[in-house]
Amino acid sequence: MRAPTSLPDAEHPRLPAGVGLGLRWEFLEELLEAPPLPLAFLEVSPENYMRRGGYYPEALERAGTRYPLVTHGLTLSLGSIEEPAPEFVNELRAEIRRVKSPWHSDHLSFSRTGQRMTHELFPVAFNRNSIHRISERLKRLTDELGVPMLIENITYYMAPGSPEMPEPEFLGELLEASGAGLLLDVNNVFVNAKNHGFDALEFLHRLPLERVAEIHVAGHESSKWDLLIDTHGARVAPSVQELLAWVLARTGPLPVLLERDNNIPPLSELMCEVRELQAVYEQALRSRLRGGNEVGFAASP
Amino acid sequence: MRWGLQQALEAFIERVVFGAEIQVTDPSAVDELLRSLQVSENECQELRLQLPRAVVYRQLVQSTLREAIELALPRLVQRMGGVFDEYLQKFLREAGPRTHYLRDVTAEFLDFSEPLWDADRRVPRWARDLARHEALRIEVAACRHSSFPEVPEELNLAAPVRFTESSRLMHYQYAVHELSAELSDRTEPEARPTDLLVYRSADHDVRYLELSPLAASILGNLLSYQHSLGHALSLAYAEHGVEFNEQQMHSTALLLADLAERGALLGPMHERSQ
């Protein structure tokens, strides 16, 4: 299976390329009342709308008449030993259909430990057992959900034990075995590079970029633990914008999502950042058209 | 038998995040944790090195869960203070969240904690009522509804009455609904049995209606969906020693008309709509 954006058929429509925004309740009403904004799409976490009535699902339906929607999940726990609950998968399928999402993404991580749900994302073991278990699960989920699956690389603060292979190769083999696409979060690559002492560009070089179907960008912050934390609570750093440009110069046009989950500023401020990212996006594509690796990258700070 | 690495990681995280706090400087505690994982010596050493980073996750996870519960129960959390945090720790250690939905963690916490509060003198007697009252706001706001009828139908004494799915009849021992919304307020609620109808209006607002004891009995009978309107009224009137006469019926009709206008009462229940 090719990466979702290369699927041309009507059964699997594409998401428009360009910069989109993670939909948050803090500005949902304002977004609905405003004239159409220059947003390629909106991304929603289906768990926030599933099993729910009232204002928000209705507002989401209205948002869907104005902007393309795509679902990005939080709790499938793709990497867990235990399978996702069938009831949850059924409800998720209904929600994906309701919003007409062209694909569904979730994190390459585990959130469940035994019976407990942590509501956090933990790194899976980078080994062949994981590749086998997760790829089989992704193939089943693709059938059960009825849409292509994307997996997102996460930020992780602890290394998941001794790896059988480096993370880029683990991702590559998993994508090949599963047929899933990659939701490449370049902020997560940057944060991991800083926290674990590797080169972000070298990491990206080793990824199968032809499998990237969507890109995430977000902000990070320093913390009391001498770690960068992927808070989604700040503007996208210039270094992360550069990584975005580097990837786009190699992939060509893709949907790019701005994630902002905490310290959410007014919508007008978010749209300023969207426009800034759109400029980065267009500049990167122009450099691609000129045929060179003109998107330079300063040495990692 | 040795565990696979993924199984060990899940057990490691569960213990570090939800178990009793591990001091990374306490060798015996760390050794005990690693021995429980049933992995090779090499993996043990690798996880030992990762423990200080794993402890970061404990704070991140517990902070997320605490925030979610505090969003739902802001006044209860403020008023209980450190006692709330003790119960949160107990919940995380002994039960933990099971739900996929962060908004439902509050209900899991209350299901676990409330039965323990009766025996704890540090927990105010009105805490249960306040917890249920505060938790209702999100529950009622998020409840799935069937659509509102465009034209209300006349009620029929021989048929049950249909309410919106979000309608809840609450019985409190304390007038917690009269407490100030100010988080710094520490006024104690009046010890007064209180009946409230809580419902969501057509424009998605959560509304509260204090009821007389008779009105509460009538609605309790109707909301059980076990009785026709006429039978529900007879039972309620008999319970309160009220005569089933035209004047009383008129008064009850005004109550039901008011609930229909508020959007809580939908009309008679037909067999096909059950």
Side-chain angles (χ1 to χ4, degrees), chain A residues 43-160:
Chain A
E43 190 180 85
V44 297
S45 295
E47 287 90 340
N48 291 335
Y49 298 89
M50 288 156 67
R51 290 192 178 181
R52 189 174 207 127
Y55 173 74
Y56 292 112
E58 216 176 86
L60 179 64
E61 211 168 304
R62 282 160 50 210
T65 65
R66 308 184 75 197
Y67 303 94
L69 300 178
V70 69
T71 55
H72 178 58
L74 301 168
T75 62
L76 263 176
S77 197
L78 290 172
S80 284
I81 298 286
E82 204 166 304
E83 289 290 326
E87 187 187 321
F88 176 74
V89 173
N90 289 338
E91 290 172 356
L92 178 58
R93 179 179 61 239
E95 188 64 22
I96 290 168
R97 283 184 183 165
R98 198 170 79 84
V99 306
K100 302 185 181 58
S101 181
W103 59 63
H104 182 65
S105 59
D106 207 317
H107 304 80
L108 179 55
S109 66
F110 68 96
S111 303
R112 196 182 319 111
T113 61
Q115 295 300 310
R116 289 181 165 97
M117 181 61 78
T118 65
H119 294 278
E120 180 53 76
L121 306 171
F122 294 95
V124 302
F126 296 155
N127 59 29
R128 293 217 151 68
N129 281 342
S130 291
I131 289 172
H132 177 74
R133 184 179 67 258
I134 299 169
S135 64
E136 291 303 306
R137 183 169 292 161
L138 283 166
K139 285 188 260 189
R140 277 195 304 277
L141 284 168
T142 300
D143 285 339
E144 288 165 4
L145 296 176
V147 291
M149 286 290 300
L150 308 187
I151 52 175
E152 180 187 349
N153 57 302
I154 65 164
T155 300
Y156 49 90
Y157 306 114
M158 62 166 259

Side-chain angles (χ1 to χ4, degrees), chain B residues 110-139:
Chain B
L110 290 177
D111 286 346
F112 174 84
S113 306
E114 277 182 340
L116 306 172
W117 291 351
D118 289 341
D120 189 340
R121 287 185 176 186
R122 300 172 305 162
V123 180
R125 299 299 94 193
W126 41 259
R128 273 202 193 221
D129 283 354
L130 181 58
R132 285 192 293 147
H133 186 66
E134 288 200 297
L136 262 187
R137 186 174 48 89
I138 291 179
E139 181 191 327

Side-chain angles (χ1 to χ4, degrees), chain B residues 28 34 47 97 105 146 157 200 250 257 270:
Chain B
S28 59
L34 295 175
L47 291 173
V105 173
S146 21
L157 284 173
R200 190 173 79 226
H250 177 71
H270 302 295

